[in-house]
Amino acid sequence: MLICCMLFISEARNRAALDLIERSARIDPESVIVNKFEDRVYNRIRFTIVSYVVVDSTGSPIYSPLHQTVLAIVEAAYGAINLELHSGAHPRLGVVDDIAFHPLAEASLDEAAWLAKAVAADIGSRFQVPVFLYAAAHPTGRAPDTIRRELGYYRPNFMGSQWAGWNIPEILPENPDHGPNHVSRTRGVTLIGARSWVTLYNIPIMCTDVSTARRIARMVSARGGGLPTVQSLALFHGDDSAEIACMLLEPNRIGPDRVQAQVEMLAAQEGLDVEKGYFTDLSPEMIVQKYMNLISARRD
């Protein structure tokens, strides 16, 4: 039974900080970094880490190496990154912006949620950072985008399309699930959740107009009346292009080909060119296979 942790950190330009964080992730050989995705324009990195979960005789989860591995990464990130000095073209609420746990192989969503809640409690108490739970880790299953809207996540505060320095209230409008309700300006807020697999798929468009890119993203998303189970966000990615960053909540229902076609159609109506989109991570099957190969190589 395997759990995959996707850990998003607000840094991709400071190589010393990234090396320190990655070293902390490799302390426990039972937790394996199977992939990472970093973007200097967004100034954001995602580590994809996999390990097993142990259950007791009743089937209840009791241990996973991922627990201490994630805490070690979080501690290293807080020691190496100052949110007040951070800027990038991707929204963020904290140094450790999002931690998502996904069940793989024979693991269940309940086991992923157990791990998410245990990690959240430790981060809130040990590092005194506000933590909001989402999806299966939260009693009501609230969506992460709901929390983000309440905290101003989607509102850039620099040059119309950038996020720089401090951009959320020091006293939160609602109490977090763990940690204090006041926010450290250097660390920010963390969201932690457990959910079934989602696919992240970014589509570059040749566009320099903020309102046009945002209009296309809104018309692609379910929230804007577009494709069901699709969330999308327009982000600028250089001087002459933007990306429609898409989260496919049910990729077996609405897949990347359909999203690509929808963006191409909407962009054509605006007279814009579109490039082929790309995945920011491996598929679940590829992640499991890579984990097994890496574990086998270590034991040999």
Side-chain angles (χ1 to χ4, degrees):
M1 295 188 293
L2 301 176
I3 302 290
C4 173
C5 174
M6 291 191 180
L7 203 156
F8 297 82
I9 294 175
S10 301
E11 183 58 71
R13 300 171 185 167
N14 184 335
R15 181 49 53 188
L18 295 177
D19 289 345
L20 176 66
I21 293 166
E22 187 162 342
R23 283 197 301 273
S24 72
R26 298 185 185 279
I27 292 174
D28 188 338
E30 299 292 337
S31 297
V32 179
I33 299 176
V34 297
N35 198 21
K36 60 181 178 179
F37 178 80
E38 54 187 287
D39 192 301
R40 289 181 59 84
V41 176
Y42 293 154
N43 203 7
R44 183 176 176 89
I45 188 170
R46 187 215 59 242
F47 291 98
T48 303
I49 309 165
V50 176
S51 193
Y52 58 84
V53 59
V54 177
V55 298
D56 63 17
S57 59
T58 68
S60 299
I62 56 173
Y63 172 72
S64 174
L66 273 177
H67 189 154
Q68 293 304 318
T69 298
V70 171
L71 292 179
I73 295 171
V74 169
E75 183 174 19
Y78 288 148
I81 302 166
N82 183 340
L83 189 64
E84 286 194 292
L85 304 179
H86 177 274
S87 64
H90 195 289
R92 76 287 192 272
L93 291 173
V95 167
V96 181
D97 195 52
D98 184 13
I99 305 175
F101 292 93
H102 305 276
L104 293 176
E106 297 179 12
S108 71
L109 190 56
D110 286 343
E111 287 142 7
W114 164 80
L115 184 54
K117 289 183 280 189
V119 168
D122 281 349
I123 290 176
S125 62
R126 184 182 303 186
F127 303 111
Q128 287 299 292
V129 169
V131 178
F132 289 89
L133 295 172
Y134 66 83
H138 188 268
T140 68
R142 66 180 171 185
D145 56 308
T146 300
I147 304 167
R148 288 167 175 157
R149 285 191 176 88
E150 291 173 353
L151 297 180
Y153 176 86
Y154 296 106
R155 294 194 295 268
N157 65 341
F158 182 62
M159 297 177 63
S161 61
Q162 301 280 316
W163 286 260
W166 181 253
N167 68 329
I168 58 177
E170 288 192 44
I171 303 297
L172 294 168
E174 65 172 288
N175 289 330
D177 297 288
H178 295 284
N181 69 346
H182 61 273
V183 187
S184 161
R185 297 176 69 94
T186 61
R187 295 181 175 182
V189 170
T190 296
L191 269 61
I192 300 180
R195 66 198 324 179
S196 299
W197 191 262
V198 299
T199 295
L200 304 179
Y201 185 72
N202 293 353
I203 304 174
I205 62 173
M206 301 302 103
C207 178
T208 58
D209 181 68
V210 174
S211 60
T212 300
R214 289 176 180 162
R215 183 165 60 250
I216 292 172
R218 185 170 58 253
M219 295 173 70
V220 169
S221 71
R223 180 180 173 85
L227 297 174
T229 73
V230 173
Q231 296 178 351
S232 57
L233 181 65
L235 300 172
F236 276 82
H237 200 258
D239 295 332
D240 59 355
S241 67
E243 289 190 336
I244 308 300
C246 300
M247 178 179 290
L248 315 186
L249 301 179
E250 297 181 31
N252 292 330
R253 178 183 174 192
I254 304 291
D257 291 344
R258 188 167 173 189
V259 176
Q260 180 81 34
Q262 185 79 352
V263 170
E264 289 177 357
M265 180 193 72
L266 294 169
Q269 294 173 0
E270 303 283 352
L272 300 172
D273 293 328
V274 177
E275 294 183 358
K276 178 65 176 175
Y278 63 93
F279 299 98
T280 68
D281 209 342
L282 306 173
S283 69
E285 296 78 13
M286 294 170 68
I287 286 173
V288 170
Q289 187 60 56
K290 188 171 181 181
Y291 167 81
M292 299 303 292
N293 291 341
L294 290 169
I295 284 291
S296 178
R298 287 182 181 183
R299 290 172 179 169
D300 290 343

